[in-house]
């Protein structure tokens, strides 16, 4: 039931939706602060508010997709994306600015990867594994496309006009979401043991869910911080603003390159094995970042390796639940497990603002490297318990 048209439609929508929402603050944040004479903490606090709203609405969104499907839910999210971008563009007061971010936060939860993954799981069940990988190919280019586009639009027309253009892009994704199949995967035929969930016992479900939640909570913290501050960190290490923007686009290229490799060569790679590979790349990227001020190649590796590791981890965020839990309740289960990640990633930009202001960009990279290494260790624990093990009765 998951056709090539469905994969392409969702891939394009992810490219647009990520680019105009999650990645917008990195381009427009400092411009908004300077134009409105607000502190950067106030401006970036809007993005943090959106992440809190994503956490609050995550369980509800999962249940809605399980019940009604992605077509209805994600189309509504596109409309809210347009309203949120327009609201920020027209903001002259902090109140309107934050209300707009509240709308944008709900819209992001309704349209970004986790909603798309749940929609695919509802349509294709366990067979959604490859489509989940495939839709991330275009989505991974969101920062590479929309950071330069946003930068050029803001330079040419100002940040307000740029965000109104973004609102128009949001409306273009409505037909893409409406084209999604509305049927649910027919699970009446018994699946072979290899396609059944690994975990059925309540205790093991709790352990696996806790590991999954912790891994992707830490990853969300890093992703939120780097989405907000990668350009700032590179500039603070001595690179020019323009060069920092263009180097940061390698993050998206790294994401898509890694995902292409996974799609082409990773069909037989178990999601847990992929998680270990991806999480092992992340610390290497941050260690390279520590040398970015002295070696240009290190800055390039930092952006590319973080993108590659994060790109593969995004795939496993969608595919691990397919082999660990029951796909019939995919949306509701993952929706609850992602709540801590959204909440702590909301604090992440504020936390990194404090670190950078107080201790500098190098310290921010050291903290990031430590968090990335913890993710790798947790992935090894996940492997020791659930890779190639029999079903947990």
């Amino acid at each position: 039931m998951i056709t090539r048209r469905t994969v392409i439609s969702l891939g394009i929508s992810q490219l647009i939706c990520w680019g105009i929402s999650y990645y917008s603050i990195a381009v427009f944040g400092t411009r908004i602060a300077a134009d409105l004479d607000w502190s950067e903490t106030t401006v970036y606090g809007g993005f943090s508010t959106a992440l809190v709203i994503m956490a609050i609405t995550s369980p509800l969104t999962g249940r809605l997709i399980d019940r009604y499907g992605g077509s209805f839910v994600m189309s509504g999210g596109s409309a809210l994306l347009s309203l949120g971008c327009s609201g920020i563009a027209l903001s002259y007061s902090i109140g309107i600015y934050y209300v707009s971010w509240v709308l944008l936060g709900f819209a992001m939860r309704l349209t970004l990867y986790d909603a798309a993954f749940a929609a695919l799981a509802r349509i294709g069940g366990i067979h959604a594994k490859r489509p989940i990988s495939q839709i991330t190919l275009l989505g991974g280019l969101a920062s590479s496309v929309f950071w330069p586009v946003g930068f050029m639009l803001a330079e040419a027309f100002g940040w307000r006009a740029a965000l109104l253009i973004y609102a128009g892009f949001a409306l273009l994704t409505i037909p893409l979401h409406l084209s999604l199949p509305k049927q649910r995967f027919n699970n009446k035929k018994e699946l072979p043991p290899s396609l059944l969930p690994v975990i059925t016992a309540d205790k093991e479900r709790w352990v696996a869910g806790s590991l999954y939640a912790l891994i992707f909570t830490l990853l969300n913290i890093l992703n939120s911080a780097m989405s907000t501050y990668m350009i700032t960190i590179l500039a603070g290490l001595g690179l020019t603003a323009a060069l920092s923007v263009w180097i940061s686009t390698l993050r998206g290229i790294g994401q898509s390159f890694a995902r292409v490799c996974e799609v082409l060569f990773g069909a037989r790679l178990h999601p847990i094995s992929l998680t270990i590979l991806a999480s092992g790349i992340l610390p290497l990227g941050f260690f390279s970042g520590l040398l970015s001020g002295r070696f240009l190649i290190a800055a390039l590796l930092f952006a590319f390796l973080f993108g590659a590791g994060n790109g593969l981890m995004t795939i496993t965020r969608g595919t691990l639940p397919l082999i660990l839990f029951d796909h019939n309740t995919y949306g509701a289960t993952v929706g609850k497990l992602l709540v801590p990640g959204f909440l702590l990633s909301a604090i992440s930009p504020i936390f990194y603002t404090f670190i950078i202001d107080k201790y500098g960009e190098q310290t921010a990279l050291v903290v990031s490297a430590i968090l990335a290494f913890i993710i790798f260790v947790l992935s090894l624990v996940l492997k020791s318990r659930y890779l190639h093990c029999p079903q947990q009765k």
Side-chain angles (χ1 to χ4, degrees), residues 72 246 283 292 305 346 393:
F72 168 75
W246 287 106
S292 296
L305 290 177
K393 299 294 186 183

Side-chain angles (χ1 to χ4, degrees), residues 168-246:
F169 278 125
L171 295 177
L172 294 178
T173 64
I174 292 179
L176 298 174
H177 294 148
L178 288 175
S179 70
L180 299 179
K182 298 175 176 59
Q183 299 91 338
R184 181 189 294 273
F185 176 66
N186 185 352
N187 195 31
K188 291 181 180 179
K189 294 182 179 180
E190 187 174 348
L191 292 171
S194 61
L195 295 182
L196 290 172
V198 171
I199 298 165
T200 57
D202 289 340
K203 179 182 177 181
E204 286 300 323
R205 189 181 296 112
W206 185 89
V207 173
S210 298
L211 285 170
Y212 177 90
L214 188 52
I215 287 171
F216 291 100
T217 292
L218 295 177
L219 182 68
N220 276 359
I221 291 172
L222 291 177
N223 195 25
S224 174
M226 292 304 106
S227 297
T228 308
Y229 280 118
M230 179 174 281
I231 296 172
T232 301
I233 287 174
L234 289 172
L237 292 174
L239 282 70
T240 65
L243 184 58
S244 298
V245 170
W246 287 106

